[in-house]
Amino acid sequence: MTTPPPGLRERKKQATREALREAALRLAVERGPDQVRVEDIAEAAGVSPRTYNNYFASREQAIVSAVTADREARIAAAVAARSAEVRLVDAVTEAVVEQYTNTGERDHRALLLITTWTALRHAFLDSTAGIELPLAAVIAERLGDTETHTARVLAASVTAAVRIALEAWLRPAGIASSAGRFAAGGLVVPSGSLPDQLRTTLAPLAPAFDAAEQGTRP
């Protein structure tokens, strides 16, 4: 089924959200996250602080959103685009790995902030929760199963696995910089390969995905 294009109201909301998250990231890079206020982000985006609060609950959420924006929708779309001949668990794994590791220079700068500041790391990890519902919808369609909770359980398991992988990857290394902003935030050195971490935490889900697929075959 083709999804209709968003209407004018929705496009305006999307544009406002985009302006806020881009302003949040730009100011954080320029000043350091602790020197950025919600009022500063709202002013830079040309909206009121009240409007800002309709989109983001904190400055950290806005900054992280500049990196994670629409990632959950892209993961779901990538799974949906895979051939039905591809194992569902493989389709999900490759979609997750692709969307979490294909980053440009801009995202690398943002990830440096995230690995430096504790509050940003927490917001980054919390953003994984957005994966569940879009992915559950795609899994349910793939399985032809909209009556049970199987798709939600599988999607929730993927969300948990991704968070565990990111936690392992962002494990604090106990290194402090002489620069105040690094010492205050708690510098983290990413550990190992993120694609490997993701594949390792998703691998135990394969039997459940395979069983769900087999249960839908005639």
Side-chain angles (χ1 to χ4, degrees), residues 133-191:
L133 292 182
L135 182 58
V138 170
I139 292 173
E141 183 174 352
R142 172 77 175 256
L143 298 178
D145 178 13
T146 58
E147 301 299 325
T148 72
H149 299 302
T150 300
R152 283 289 303 274
V153 170
L154 292 173
S157 299
V158 170
T159 299
V162 170
R163 184 181 179 108
I164 290 168
L166 293 176
E167 286 174 345
W169 188 62
L170 293 173
R171 184 177 296 115
I175 301 173
S177 166
S178 58
R181 63 180 186 177
F182 283 84
L187 180 63
V188 168
V189 177
S191 174

Side-chain angles (χ1 to χ4, degrees), residues 83-92 142 206-207 209-210 213 217:
S83 166
E85 300 302 316
V86 177
R87 286 172 70 206
L88 181 55
V89 68
D90 292 337
V92 170
R142 172 77 175 256
F209 271 92
D210 289 343
E213 277 199 291
R217 293 170 185 165

Side-chain angles (χ1 to χ4, degrees), residues 1-209:
M1 182 174 67
T2 303
T3 302
L8 178 60
R9 179 182 175 85
E10 186 59 31
R11 291 199 301 273
K12 286 183 175 180
K13 290 173 64 176
Q14 290 175 354
T16 299
R17 184 182 297 276
E18 176 71 16
L20 285 168
R21 63 194 181 204
E22 291 302 320
L25 177 59
R26 177 173 57 79
L27 292 173
V29 170
E30 291 174 356
R31 305 178 185 179
D34 63 336
Q35 298 300 316
V36 179
R37 303 175 304 158
V38 165
E39 291 80 5
D40 299 329
I41 299 171
E43 181 180 1
V47 301
S48 69
R50 181 176 180 179
T51 297
Y52 174 96
N53 291 330
N54 290 333
Y55 290 87
F56 299 106
S58 67
R59 67 182 179 186
E60 289 81 15
Q61 190 181 81
I63 294 167
V64 166
S65 179
V67 180
T68 63
D70 306 320
R71 177 177 284 159
E72 61 274 9
R74 296 197 304 270
I75 289 173
V79 174
R82 289 297 182 109
S83 166
E85 300 302 316
V86 177
R87 286 172 70 206
L88 181 55
V89 68
D90 292 337
V92 170
T93 299
E94 292 312 309
V96 168
V97 170
E98 178 182 326
Q99 294 303 324
Y100 269 92
T101 58
N102 286 353
T103 57
E105 181 180 348
R106 168 186 166 282
D107 287 348
H108 281 301
R109 291 197 302 269
L111 283 171
L112 176 60
L113 288 178
I114 290 169
T115 59
T116 302
W117 291 89
T118 301
L120 290 178
R121 291 201 301 274
H122 291 165
F124 183 62
L125 292 172
D126 288 345
S127 71
T128 59
I131 296 172
E132 182 180 336
L133 292 182
L135 182 58
V138 170
I139 292 173
E141 183 174 352
R142 172 77 175 256
L143 298 178
D145 178 13
T146 58
E147 301 299 325
T148 72
H149 299 302
T150 300
R152 283 289 303 274
V153 170
L154 292 173
S157 299
V158 170
T159 299
V162 170
R163 184 181 179 108
I164 290 168
L166 293 176
E167 286 174 345
W169 188 62
L170 293 173
R171 184 177 296 115
I175 301 173
S177 166
S178 58
R181 63 180 186 177
F182 283 84
L187 180 63
V188 168
V189 177
S191 174
S193 162
L194 180 54
D196 288 347
Q197 295 276 14
L198 289 166
R199 289 192 173 95
T200 296
T201 58
L202 289 166
L205 304 183
F209 271 92

